[in-house]
Amino acid sequence: MSGAVGHKRVAKEFIEAYPIPLPPVPEQRRIVAILDEAFEGIGAAIANAEKILANARELFESYLQSVFDTKGEHVPLSELATDITDGDHSPPPKAASGVPFITISDIVKPTRTIDFSNTFSVPQEYFKNLKPNKKPRPGDVLYTVTGATLGIPVLVKQEIDFCFQRHIGLIRPNPETYSVWLSYALLSPQVFKQATVRSTGAAQKTVSLAVLRSITVPKIQVSEQRAIAARLDALTAETQSLESVYQQKLVILAELKQAILQKAFAGEMTAQPGQVLQEAVV
C-alpha cells in the first residue's frame, strides 16, 4: 500500500499483476466444496457461541430485574446517599504527570470498571482544590449520565486519587446503604428506564443531577442488601467467565477460517470433504 496516512491504497497495477494460483477446474471444484463445507460448520459454531452469549446476558438481566421488581417502599436515590454530584464543569488543565482524569471513554461497559491505561493527568494542585464530594473514594458509585453510554454504574474500588468529567455522576452511599447493592440497583432495568425516559437533549441525551437524585429505588434493610449483592456477585462472576470462554471461541473460529483459506490458496489443502476442520486445527 502507498499514500498518505489515512489514505492508503493498493495501486490498480499491483492488483492486476498479482499472481493468483490457478489449479485445474476439477481441483478448483474440490477446494470450493471443502471450503463451503468448512465455512458452513464454522458459521454454525459462531452462531451457537453468539446464542450462548446472548442467553447468558439475558439470564443475568432477567434475574437482575426480578431482584429489584419489589412491591415494597421505593424512595428517591437522594435518601440513600450523603451526596450526589458530578464532575467539575470547567475544562481541566492537563499535566504530563499528576492525578488521572476519567472521561466516559475510560468506562468499560461490559465489566463496569475504569480503564486507567489511557487517561490524561491533571496537576496535583487542581485535584487538591476540588471539593471533597468530587474526589471519588472506595465505596462511591460512579454513574454515566450522557450519550450512548448513559446508565453505566461503576463501583469505586481503587485506593488511588482520581477525578472525573461532568458527564459522570457520583453517588456517595449513606451508612444504611451497601454500595455493592446500590451499584446493582443502578444497573437494573427499572432504574435504566427511569434515567432514559427522563433524560433530556436532542442530539445527546443527558440525565440531570435533579433527575438522578429523584430516581426511585427499593428501600430495604442493609442485611437484605448484602444478601442480594452476594447472589448477584456470584451470578456476575459466572456470566463473565462464560462470556470470556465464548469470546475466545469466537476469536479462534475467525482465525480458523483464515487458516483454512491460507491452506487452500497455498496449495496445501490435502483434506477431503469431512476432514478439513480437523486438518486446519492440526
Side-chain angles (χ1 to χ4, degrees), residues 135-190:
K135 298 177 182 179
R137 64 191 189 193
D140 289 346
V141 181
L142 303 181
Y143 189 76
T144 56
V145 296
T146 192
T149 55
L150 185 155
I152 306 173
V154 177
L155 179 63
V156 178
K157 302 177 182 179
Q158 294 84 0
E159 293 275 0
I160 61 172
D161 290 338
F162 70 94
C163 46
F164 55 98
Q165 69 175 161
R166 64 185 178 90
H167 294 152
I168 299 174
L170 180 147
I171 302 99
R172 184 158 289 165
N174 62 29
E176 289 75 41
T177 305
Y178 183 44
S179 58
V180 180
W181 173 85
L182 180 60
S183 69
Y184 282 120
L186 292 169
L187 182 65
S188 68
Q190 292 90 329

Side-chain angles (χ1 to χ4, degrees), residues 49-249:
E50 290 175 340
K51 182 178 180 181
I52 291 173
L53 281 172
N55 289 344
R57 292 169 185 147
E58 288 175 7
L59 175 63
F60 176 80
E61 290 175 4
S62 176
Y63 183 70
L64 184 67
Q65 180 169 354
S66 69
V67 165
F68 291 99
D69 189 18
T70 173
K71 304 301 181 183
E73 181 183 6
H74 284 64
V75 298
L77 186 60
S78 58
E79 291 191 22
L80 303 183
T82 60
D83 209 336
I84 298 178
T85 187
D86 57 7
D88 194 353
H89 286 224
S90 301
K94 296 184 179 181
S97 62
V99 177
F101 185 89
I102 303 303
T103 66
I104 280 185
S105 62
D106 299 313
I107 303 296
V108 183
K109 185 175 181 178
T111 57
R112 303 185 300 280
T113 56
I114 302 171
D115 179 6
F116 285 92
S117 61
N118 292 312
T119 60
F120 66 84
S121 298
V122 295
Q124 287 282 353
E125 191 66 20
Y126 169 85
F127 178 79
K128 180 181 177 181
N129 291 330
L130 290 174
K131 295 179 179 179
N133 64 349
K134 294 184 183 292
K135 298 177 182 179
R137 64 191 189 193
D140 289 346
V141 181
L142 303 181
Y143 189 76
T144 56
V145 296
T146 192
T149 55
L150 185 155
I152 306 173
V154 177
L155 179 63
V156 178
K157 302 177 182 179
Q158 294 84 0
E159 293 275 0
I160 61 172
D161 290 338
F162 70 94
C163 46
F164 55 98
Q165 69 175 161
R166 64 185 178 90
H167 294 152
I168 299 174
L170 180 147
I171 302 99
R172 184 158 289 165
N174 62 29
E176 289 75 41
T177 305
Y178 183 44
S179 58
V180 180
W181 173 85
L182 180 60
S183 69
Y184 282 120
L186 292 169
L187 182 65
S188 68
Q190 292 90 329
V191 166
F192 183 74
K193 182 178 180 180
Q194 293 180 67
T196 52
V197 167
R198 298 170 64 186
S199 61
T200 57
Q204 183 167 262
K205 295 293 186 180
T206 300
V207 177
S208 68
L209 281 179
V211 168
L212 184 59
R213 290 166 180 152
S214 64
I215 284 174
T216 59
V217 293
K219 185 177 182 180
I220 59 178
Q221 295 296 320
V222 175
S223 58
E224 187 178 354
Q225 294 177 28
R226 290 183 177 276
I228 290 172
R231 293 198 297 270
L232 286 169
D233 275 347
L235 184 56
T236 296
E238 291 179 10
T239 302
Q240 291 181 346
S241 175
L242 186 64
E243 286 192 357
S244 177
V245 169
Y246 277 90
Q247 289 289 4
Q248 184 60 30
K249 286 189 176 184

